[in-house]
Amino acid sequence: MKIARLMFNPIQENTYVVWDSTLEAAIIDAGNMGERENEILDKFIADHGLKPVLAINTHGHFDHLMGVSHVCDKYGAKFALSSKDEFLLKNAMVSAELFGVRAGDMPEGIDIDLEGMESIKFGNTELKIIPTPGHTPGHVALYEPEAGILFTGDTLFRESIGRTDLPGGDYSWIMRSIIDNILPLGDEVKIYPGHGEESTIGHESMYNPFVVEVLNQEVNYKN
């Protein structure tokens, strides 16, 4: 499995292009905004001879959605998102305006509901779906166990965590997701977050202040 990170839009969101030997590709959190950024994504896809078949979203915030319509319309890809975040999808344009961003077209609906699904496939690749609510109610992480790769969206960043003060956010739930669902995957697993640089679970266990204070029982994250 090969991975490319493209940073898009004013929120500096990480869009990941993921593909394998079949050249079928998934675009994870397509945040490309406007003609220039669409062209950047399209050129990368064309240069590598890829066939995008899925636009998979870890969650439904506008900065991760702005390129989904382009990917689906141009390549015929199916849009995958948890239905628990459908309320965010419906309000994405309004949310973008509150952040001073003119988002453009948004997807009209979900093609593949990730809620309750154990995995999603493209080409010869299967990504395990791990529920990680807290940043949003329907947030998921995408895990490829053979390569030891985890796309964490806005749940876990390098030495930080996602916001929990937006609609549907919950600090207790995001920490449960990290402690109970992410850390047990193992220290060597490499994480690809929705913003910022890559990391590993081991690094976050040692140096992420939000994680460390919970592991040291300095904070009761369950209440």
Coordinates of all heavy atoms in Angstrom, one line a residue, residues 3-9 12-17 19 27-32 37-45 48 193-194:
I3 N 1.0 5.6 0.1 CA 0.3 6.7 0.7 C 1.0 8.0 0.3 O 2.2 8.2 0.3 CB 0.4 6.7 2.2 CG1 -0.2 5.3 2.7 CG2 -0.4 7.8 2.9 CD1 0.0 5.1 4.2
A4 N 0.2 9.0 -0.1 CA 0.6 10.4 -0.4 C -0.2 11.3 0.4 O -1.4 11.2 0.5 CB 0.6 10.7 -1.9
R5 N 0.4 12.3 1.0 CA -0.3 13.3 1.8 C -0.3 14.6 1.0 O 0.8 15.1 0.6 CB 0.4 13.5 3.2 CG -0.2 14.7 4.0 CD 0.4 14.7 5.4 NE 1.7 15.2 5.3 CZ 2.2 16.4 5.9 NH1 1.3 17.1 6.6 NH2 3.4 16.7 5.9
L6 N -1.4 15.2 0.8 CA -1.6 16.5 0.2 C -2.3 17.4 1.1 O -3.4 17.1 1.6 CB -2.4 16.4 -1.1 CG -1.8 15.4 -2.2 CD1 -2.8 15.3 -3.3 CD2 -0.5 15.8 -2.7
M7 N -1.7 18.6 1.4 CA -2.3 19.5 2.4 C -3.1 20.5 1.6 O -2.7 21.2 0.7 CB -1.2 20.2 3.2 CG -1.8 21.0 4.3 SD -0.5 22.0 5.2 CE 0.5 20.6 5.8
F8 N -4.4 20.7 2.0 CA -5.3 21.5 1.3 C -6.1 22.5 2.2 O -6.2 22.3 3.4 CB -6.4 20.7 0.5 CG -5.8 20.0 -0.6 CD1 -6.1 18.6 -0.8 CD2 -5.0 20.6 -1.6 CE1 -5.6 17.9 -1.9 CE2 -4.5 19.9 -2.7 CZ -4.8 18.6 -2.9
N9 N -6.6 23.5 1.6 CA -7.6 24.5 2.2 C -7.0 25.3 3.3 O -5.9 25.0 3.8 CB -8.9 23.9 2.5 CG -9.0 22.9 3.7 OD1 -8.6 23.4 4.8 ND2 -9.4 21.7 3.5
Q12 N -5.5 23.9 6.5 CA -4.3 23.0 6.3 C -4.7 21.6 6.7 O -4.0 20.9 7.6 CB -3.2 23.6 7.2 CG -2.7 24.9 6.7 CD -1.5 25.4 7.4 OE1 -1.4 25.4 8.6 NE2 -0.5 25.8 6.7
E13 N -5.6 21.0 6.0 CA -6.1 19.7 6.3 C -5.3 18.7 5.4 O -4.9 19.0 4.3 CB -7.6 19.6 5.9 CG -8.2 18.3 6.1 CD -8.2 17.4 4.8 OE1 -7.9 17.9 3.8 OE2 -8.6 16.2 4.9
N14 N -5.0 17.5 6.0 CA -4.3 16.5 5.3 C -5.3 15.6 4.5 O -6.1 14.9 5.1 CB -3.5 15.6 6.3 CG -2.4 16.3 6.9 OD1 -1.8 17.2 6.3 ND2 -2.0 15.9 8.1
T15 N -5.1 15.6 3.2 CA -5.8 14.7 2.3 C -4.9 13.5 1.9 O -3.8 13.8 1.5 CB -6.3 15.4 1.1 OG1 -7.3 16.3 1.4 CG2 -6.9 14.4 0.1
Y16 N -5.3 12.3 2.1 CA -4.4 11.2 1.8 C -5.0 10.4 0.6 O -6.1 10.1 0.5 CB -4.4 10.2 3.0 CG -3.7 10.8 4.2 CD1 -4.5 11.3 5.3 CD2 -2.4 10.9 4.3 CE1 -3.9 11.8 6.4 CE2 -1.7 11.5 5.4 CZ -2.5 11.9 6.4 OH -1.9 12.5 7.6
V17 N -4.0 10.2 -0.4 CA -4.3 9.3 -1.5 C -3.6 8.0 -1.2 O -2.4 7.9 -0.9 CB -3.7 9.9 -2.8 CG1 -4.1 9.0 -4.0 CG2 -4.3 11.3 -3.0
W19 N -3.2 3.9 -2.3 CA -3.4 2.9 -3.5 C -2.5 1.7 -3.3 O -1.6 1.7 -2.5 CB -3.2 3.6 -4.8 CG -1.8 4.0 -5.1 CD1 -0.9 3.3 -6.0 CD2 -1.1 5.1 -4.7 NE1 0.3 3.9 -6.1 CE2 0.2 5.1 -5.3 CE3 -1.3 6.2 -3.9 CZ2 1.2 6.0 -5.1 CZ3 -0.4 7.2 -3.6 CH2 0.9 7.1 -4.3
I27 N -9.4 8.1 -1.6 CA -9.0 9.4 -1.2 C -9.6 9.6 0.2 O -10.8 9.5 0.4 CB -9.6 10.5 -2.1 CG1 -9.3 10.1 -3.6 CG2 -9.0 11.8 -1.8 CD1 -7.8 10.0 -4.0
I28 N -8.8 9.7 1.2 CA -9.2 9.8 2.6 C -9.3 11.3 3.0 O -8.3 12.0 2.9 CB -8.3 9.0 3.5 CG1 -8.3 7.5 3.2 CG2 -8.7 9.2 5.0 CD1 -7.4 6.7 4.0
D29 N -10.5 11.7 3.4 CA -10.7 13.1 3.8 C -10.3 14.1 2.7 O -9.4 14.9 2.9 CB -9.9 13.4 5.1 CG -10.6 12.7 6.3 OD1 -11.7 12.3 6.2 OD2 -9.9 12.5 7.3
A30 N -11.0 14.0 1.6 CA -10.7 14.9 0.5 C -11.1 16.4 0.8 O -12.2 16.8 0.8 CB -11.5 14.5 -0.8
G31 N -10.0 17.2 1.1 CA -10.2 18.5 1.5 C -9.9 19.6 0.5 O -9.8 20.8 0.8
N32 N -9.6 19.1 -0.7 CA -9.2 20.0 -1.8 C -10.3 21.0 -2.1 O -11.5 20.7 -2.1 CB -8.9 19.3 -3.1 CG -9.8 18.1 -3.4 OD1 -9.9 17.2 -2.6 ND2 -10.4 18.2 -4.5
E37 N -6.7 23.7 -6.3 CA -6.4 22.5 -5.5 C -7.0 21.2 -6.2 O -6.4 20.1 -6.1 CB -6.9 22.7 -4.1 CG -6.1 23.7 -3.3 CD -6.5 23.8 -1.8 OE1 -7.5 23.2 -1.4 OE2 -5.8 24.5 -1.1
N38 N -8.1 21.4 -6.8 CA -8.6 20.2 -7.6 C -7.6 19.8 -8.7 O -7.4 18.6 -8.9 CB -9.9 20.6 -8.3 CG -11.1 20.8 -7.3 OD1 -11.0 20.3 -6.1 ND2 -12.2 21.4 -7.8
E39 N -7.0 20.7 -9.3 CA -6.0 20.4 -10.3 C -4.8 19.7 -9.8 O -4.2 18.8 -10.4 CB -5.6 21.7 -11.1 CG -6.7 22.2 -12.0 CD -6.3 23.5 -12.7 OE1 -5.2 24.1 -12.3 OE2 -7.1 24.0 -13.5
I40 N -4.4 20.2 -8.6 CA -3.2 19.5 -7.9 C -3.5 18.0 -7.6 O -2.7 17.2 -7.9 CB -2.9 20.2 -6.6 CG1 -2.3 21.6 -6.9 CG2 -1.9 19.4 -5.7 CD1 -2.1 22.5 -5.6
L41 N -4.7 17.8 -7.1 CA -5.1 16.4 -6.8 C -5.2 15.6 -8.1 O -4.7 14.5 -8.2 CB -6.4 16.4 -6.1 CG -7.0 15.0 -5.8 CD1 -6.0 14.2 -4.9 CD2 -8.4 15.1 -5.1
D42 N -5.9 16.2 -9.1 CA -6.0 15.5 -10.4 C -4.7 15.2 -11.1 O -4.5 14.1 -11.7 CB -6.9 16.3 -11.4 CG -8.4 16.4 -10.9 OD1 -8.8 15.6 -10.1 OD2 -9.0 17.4 -11.3
K43 N -3.8 16.1 -11.0 CA -2.5 15.8 -11.6 C -1.8 14.7 -10.9 O -1.1 13.8 -11.5 CB -1.6 17.1 -11.5 CG -0.3 17.0 -12.2 CD 0.5 18.3 -12.2 CE 1.8 18.2 -13.1 NZ 2.7 17.0 -12.7
F44 N -1.8 14.7 -9.6 CA -1.2 13.6 -8.8 C -1.8 12.2 -9.3 O -1.1 11.2 -9.5 CB -1.4 13.8 -7.3 CG -0.7 12.7 -6.5 CD1 0.6 12.8 -6.1 CD2 -1.4 11.5 -6.2 CE1 1.3 11.8 -5.4 CE2 -0.7 10.5 -5.5 CZ 0.6 10.7 -5.1
I45 N -3.1 12.2 -9.3 CA -3.8 11.0 -9.7 C -3.4 10.5 -11.1 O -3.1 9.4 -11.4 CB -5.4 11.2 -9.6 CG1 -5.8 11.3 -8.1 CG2 -6.1 10.0 -10.3 CD1 -7.2 11.7 -7.9
H48 N 0.2 9.2 -11.5 CA 0.4 7.9 -11.0 C -0.5 6.8 -11.6 O -0.5 5.7 -11.2 CB 0.3 7.9 -9.5 CG 1.4 8.7 -8.8 ND1 1.4 10.0 -8.7 CD2 2.5 8.2 -8.2 CE1 2.5 10.4 -8.0 NE2 3.2 9.4 -7.7
P193 N -2.5 11.7 10.8 CA -3.6 12.5 11.3 C -4.2 13.4 10.3 O -3.6 13.6 9.2 CB -2.9 13.3 12.4 CG -1.5 13.5 11.9 CD -1.1 12.2 11.2
G194 N -5.3 14.0 10.6 CA -6.0 14.9 9.7 C -5.4 16.2 9.6 O -5.7 17.0 8.7

